[in-house]
Amino acid sequence: MRRVVTIGQTTAGGPAFLVIAGPCSVESREQLLRIARKVRDAGATALRGGIFKTRSDPRSFQGLGADAFPLVDEARGETGLPFVAEVTSPEQIAPLAAHVDMLQVGSRNMHNTALLKELGRQRTPVLLKRGLAALLKEWLFAAEYIMQGGNQDVVLCERGIRTFGDDTRNTIDLAGAVLARQRSGLPVLLDPSHGTGRPELVGPMCAAAAAAGLDGVIIEVHDDPAAALSDGFQSLTPGQFAGVVAGLRPILRATGRDL
Ligand code: PEP
Ligand code: MN
C-alpha cells in the first residue's frame, strides 16, 4: 500500500508532485523572504532552509540556530507554504517542530538511532535522507526506526551516494530510489542539488525523477549563489528554478500528475 504524507497543506505520495525549494541555509530575514517569494511565484509547493546545519568542515557556517525561528514564521506566514528544516539532535526536535512542518534527517545522521527513535515519538513528518554510503536496506531500516515508534509520516530522499566518480559531488542512485519506493510504499523524493553538486544537472535530474515516478524533488535556490554561506556552488538562481519547474510540467502531465 502506498502512503500519502501530509505536510502542512500539501502532500507527498499523492497525485501532486512535491517541489521543495529554498536556500541551503537560512542566512537573514531579507535573504529568506526574497527567495521564498520567488520560489513560490515559480511554483514551489514547500520551502526549505537549514537552521541547524551538519557541515563537514567545523569552521564553516553552522546555521543561525534558534535566531532563524521568527524568520521561518514570517516566510511561512507570507507564502502560505510549509517549511522543511534539518534536525541534528534530539533536543532540537521540540523547538524546531514549533516552527516547521517537516523535520529533515540529514545524510550524516541517517544512522543516528537515538535521533530516529525520538522522531518516532513525534507527530511531525520526517524527510529521511539516505546516508552518504548507505545500502538500500540500511536506509529502509532507518525509516523503520522512526515508524516503529508510531510516527508513520516518513518520506525518503535520495541525495546521491559516494562512488569512485568525482565529476559530480555524489552519484544519484535513481534505480535505488525507485526500488526503495517500490519496497517501502513510502513517498520518495530526489535531491538533485546535493546529488550532483552542479546547477546545470538539476533540471535533467528533476525530469528523470518525474519520469521515473518519484514523488517530488528538493532543490537549493539562492538569489546570490556566489555570496551564499553554504552550498552556493550548487544552488539555482530563482530564474533557473522557474525554468526547471516549467520543464517539469509537461512530463508530469504526461504521467497523469501535476504540481
Ligand atoms: C542539506 O539539505 O543542506 C544537507 C546538508 O543535505 P545532506 O544531509 O543530504 O548532505
Ligand atoms: Mn546544502
Side-chain angles (χ1 to χ4, degrees):
M1 222 194 51
R2 301 232 50 92
R3 181 159 302 132
V4 179
V5 175
T6 298
I7 307 146
Q9 62 280 64
T10 187
T11 56
F17 189 80
L18 183 63
V19 178
I20 308 173
C24 179
S25 299
V26 176
E27 300 172 7
S28 70
R29 176 176 179 272
E30 292 66 32
Q31 175 249 17
L32 182 63
L33 290 175
R34 272 197 320 266
I35 297 171
R37 287 182 197 119
K38 286 181 176 163
V39 298
R40 176 207 49 200
D41 292 347
T45 47
L47 299 174
R48 65 151 287 149
I51 295 173
F52 300 101
K53 298 298 297 176
T54 44
R55 307 298 305 283
S56 297
D57 181 345
R59 290 158 298 193
S60 61
F61 179 59
Q62 302 289 311
L64 292 181
D67 290 345
F69 292 156
L71 319 184
V72 170
D73 294 344
E74 206 175 333
R76 285 173 80 243
E78 199 184 305
T79 60
L81 297 180
F83 202 101
V84 182
E86 183 171 349
V87 59
T88 64
S89 72
E91 319 79 80
Q92 291 164 6
I93 295 175
L96 267 172
H99 299 276
V100 307
D101 303 276
M102 181 177 228
L103 294 167
Q104 172 178 318
V105 175
S107 196
R108 291 158 190 79
N109 267 315
M110 190 212 80
H111 289 289
N112 183 343
T113 52
L115 180 61
L116 301 174
K117 284 180 183 171
E118 196 49 47
L119 287 166
R121 297 186 193 103
Q122 315 297 319
R123 287 296 167 268
T124 307
V126 177
L127 181 63
L128 177 64
K129 289 205 169 188
R130 183 178 183 175
L132 300 173
L135 298 174
L136 217 62
K137 63 182 172 192
E138 294 170 325
W139 188 20
L140 299 185
F141 280 148
E144 279 182 42
Y145 262 102
I146 300 169
M147 293 188 292
Q148 212 178 50
N151 187 353
Q152 305 300 311
D153 289 337
V154 178
V155 176
L156 301 173
C157 179
E158 162 66 26
R159 47 79 73 204
I161 49 174
R162 287 267 164 90
T163 65
F164 297 108
D166 66 356
D167 296 292
T168 53
R169 183 178 182 182
N170 292 292
T171 298
I172 290 179
D173 181 11
L174 194 59
V178 173
L179 195 55
R181 188 175 181 278
Q182 290 172 352
R183 288 191 175 159
S184 67
L186 298 173
V188 180
L189 309 186
L190 180 70
D191 175 347
S193 301
H194 295 87
T196 67
R198 303 185 78 103
E200 70 274 27
L201 296 179
V202 168
M205 291 300 99
C206 285
L214 297 187
D215 300 284
V217 288
I218 176 166
I219 301 174
E220 288 188 340
V221 178
H222 201 289
D223 61 348
D224 187 0
L229 297 181
S230 61
D231 284 352
F233 63 90
Q234 69 190 22
S235 298
L236 299 186
T237 62
Q240 290 170 327
F241 172 72
V244 168
V245 175
L248 273 173
R249 291 190 192 273
I251 299 170
L252 291 170
R253 276 199 294 273
T255 55
R257 297 188 294 170
D258 207 345
L259 295 181

